[in-house]
Amino acid sequence: MTTTVHNSKGTATPGLLGRLLSSGTHQRLLAFTSLIILLVVFSVASPHFMQTSNIIAILQATSVNGVLAVAATLVIITGGIDLSVGTLMTFTAVIAGVVLTFAGMPLPLGIAAAIAAGVFCGFCSGSFIAKMKIPPFIATLGMMLILKGLSLVISGTRPIYFNNTPGFDQISRGSLIGDLLPALPIPNGVLILFLVALAASYVLRRTVLGRYTFALGSNEEAVRLSGVNTDRWKIAVYALAGGICGIAGILIASRLNSAQPALGMGYELEAIAAVVIGGTSLSGGKGTILGTLIGALIMAVLTNGLRVLSVAQEWQTVVTGAIIILAVYADMARRKKS
Amino acid sequence: MTLLVEMKGIEKRFPGVHALKGIHFDLHEGEVHALMGENGAGKSTLMKVLSGIYQPDGGEFRLRGEAVQLLGPRAAQAQGIGIIHQELSLMNDLTVAQNVFIGREPRRSFGRLDDAQLNRQTADIFARMNLQLDPEAIVGELTIAKQQMIEIAKALSFRSRILIMDEPTAALNDAEVRELFTIIRQLRAEGVGIVYISHKMDEIKQIADRVTVMRDGEYVATVQAADTPLSQIIAMMVGREVRQQVASIPAQQPTEVVLEVQGLQRGREIRDVSFSVRKGEILGFAGLMGAGRTEVARAIFGADPLEAGEIRVHGQPCQIRSPHDAVRAGIGYLSEDRKRFGLATGMDVRANIAMTSIDKFASRLGTLDEHGMQHTAQNYIQQLGIRTPSDEQQVALLSGGNQQKVVIAKWLLRDCDVLIFDEPTRGIDVGAKAEIYTLLEALAAQGRAVIVISSELPEVMRLSHRIAVMCEGRLTGVLPGGAATTQEQIMALATQRETVMHQAGEQ
């Protein structure tokens, strides 16, 4: 459990220093420091890196992976894993394509359909895990393949374009903030990521669902023996994560102005990597949305920075892998000490 | 007869615990020496000294007349000491022979395995034991009794002359016990010395030559098994000095029956158990380890399934399929294993206290009233005297007694009519124990029905208005609480195996 920085007055909370040294904060500090170091190194190494257009590109690149990582964070805090977030994103994009392009329905219906499809698929994964007692890894691996196949089947293996839905591409590419403050042309995709993260963080800290999310990961059997209907809450977490994947589906479809049915595989691993770099424990019970956001940013900065420095794409992948191992090693070393 | 083991005045201390206080124990060639005592008497610690896992802090330890120091289990193995633990440590997917020779597989050149040799050597050991068993059978497909034989064969393959068996019959049925005893007699005839740990009285009479009794880490006596009555052994095990602690239990006014269970049944673990608890009553559950008390409690609470039986709360039949149902029916269960089953140790005190009652702090949209939870948690911290710097302290960082109080606070907040405490004072120091006792008595006085499962007889006798005793999944009797009941009476019921009853009839 993390302590809020803005706490009510008069409570017996440890001081600021104590909180900074507490484990969750420590990991976030570690990740945050790494992010700053990366930014400094890249901006010294290349004059192009710190340009506004490049920063916007980094943020834009973070948005989809960030939203998926938020979904993965929820599931991972319960002690589970969701390998289907990537193909679920694609599946929901295809559903949006079916509703908007094939059926020609209005935009809000398409968005609603994508999110509903995500919730439904998450509900299915959760049910396989909670009711049929299939390990999360297997259940969501199966789901990943099912959704990949279904996306191809439904779309007829061809991309679905959203040319008939005016404004669809603006969901991700437009900039509401830029309209108001021309100096800050932050794309809507980033704004949406921010809102999703804020909402997820609120759910985790302030709601029953969030409390049980941490409790399930901390000690599921103890929670069950407390008389909590653990199955139901677990399914709810997967369903919520599915819904968030639906939002990611809309984002990526909007960015590409099309639903690409072959896309999606591999996104789940990037999302999980961001979660892990952000200090969320794969064994459950610990984690923060802020950490995950920083993790997603680190991944995006790395990819972008290495590209700006003209490092070959093959080597970018190698570096990313090494960073993941380093991040988790740092986490383990810290845990051992405490 | 040669003396294999000679232990004199063995001492062992752990931080805060004097586990072995001058223990004497010896073992001859070709004898079965039973080691008896209640849970926590120090039997396992002594056997860990004998098998090299612990080093003694004092005393003499001789093997075949020579003073030795066993530094680790491998050294003990080299000295021909084999131990068969209560929990078998076999790899279920490997064959019998692969298990026996794990880590020592016969090899051919270039590290290739010699399976023929492996199976032949295993078959030789089985032949010596007079055991009909296929070396190539998969272990997981065999009965527990056969698996036990494999452990014995494994010990013998190290040329063990000293064999320690820790409750080897705990999971065996009567036919399997006979099978095991045949092997034990055969080994004895070959001159192997066997240390036999068991809670089952009738077995001692059947198999042991001598009996050593331990109590609270102290040596009580060593007697010949043949000419010592069981009642005397029981008396030695329980001792007498604890009896003054028994509080005078006020006579119960006949009040409403809150919980009534009829004919609970599940396999061999729970066999036709029926009882009831009244409002304001503390019903103690006594019995040895594995008697089925926890199983009964978990089944009533819906944590494990039942095959048959009826549960009534306030006279209404209840369908309890999960702990969720049980809590709704007003039943709370505090597990014996707080860390595994009672607490989310990574979370803070506040979240743990609110765990069962979170709906009380949730708005219709599911948002939490953090202030309400904080207020409630702080109230309980004060009321129960939980020693914690704040309600945001991680539960893992509290002491055992304070963790237990957090679990109790959780259930007090839920306001259950029936509370089942499973070993409420396990791993808790003496001072905190007294506080827990006071709390349990206060709960009963408030009109709740309280069930206390405890392996410590003095605890059961101190708290209970009535004492239910279990043995091997059966409820063997319900005794009145207070001074009217002696420890011997309870122990007699707790060791009342079906075979004992038959034998007692014959004698």
Side-chain angles (χ1 to χ4, degrees), chain A residues 11 13 206 208 219 224 226-227, chain B residues 303 324 340 356 366 368 392 410:
Chain A
T11 57
T13 47
R206 293 272 174 262
V208 178
N219 189 345
R224 188 176 81 95
S226 296
Chain B
H324 186 61
R340 268 177 68 204
T356 46
L368 286 170
E392 289 183 277
K410 173 171 93 173

Side-chain angles (χ1 to χ4, degrees), chain A residues 1-4 7-14 23 202 205-212 214-216 218-219 221-229 232-233 285-286, chain B residues 298 301-304 323-324 327 333 335 338-348 351 355-356 358 362 366-368 370-371 373-374 378 389-390 392 394 410-411:
Chain A
M1 207 64 294
T2 58
T3 48
T4 16
N7 216 320
S8 57
K9 285 169 197 156
T11 57
T13 47
S23 58
Y202 182 81
R205 290 178 182 197
R206 293 272 174 262
T207 67
V208 178
L209 179 63
R211 187 55 45 89
Y212 285 149
F214 281 104
L216 283 171
S218 184
N219 189 345
E221 187 61 7
V223 178
R224 188 176 81 95
L225 291 180
S226 296
V228 176
N229 193 339
R232 205 177 69 192
W233 290 105
K286 287 194 177 64
Chain B
R298 285 179 58 98
F301 187 60
D304 295 323
H324 186 61
V327 169
Y333 170 68
S335 165
R338 290 185 290 279
K339 290 209 176 102
R340 268 177 68 204
F341 301 134
L343 293 164
T345 49
M347 301 179 77
D348 61 12
M355 192 72 78
T356 46
I358 216 151
T367 56
L368 286 170
E370 204 68 43
H371 279 289
M373 286 197 288
Q374 180 185 26
Q378 285 173 349
S390 87
E392 289 183 277
Q394 207 186 327
K410 173 171 93 173
W411 288 105

Side-chain angles (χ1 to χ4, degrees), chain A residues 14 42 44 92 94 116 131 156 158 180 185-186 209 249-250 275 286 289 305 323 328 331:
Chain A
F42 284 131
V44 169
T92 57
V94 169
K131 295 291 183 194
R158 280 184 302 276
L180 295 171
I186 294 172
L209 179 63
I250 295 293
V275 174
K286 287 194 177 64
I289 297 296
I323 292 285
V328 176
D331 192 35

Side-chain angles (χ1 to χ4, degrees), chain B residues 192-209:
Chain B
V192 176
I194 294 165
V195 186
Y196 191 89
I197 299 177
S198 177
H199 284 303
K200 298 179 179 170
M201 289 293 160
D202 60 323
E203 292 178 7
I204 303 308
K205 279 286 184 190
Q206 284 180 47
I207 197 79
D209 300 303

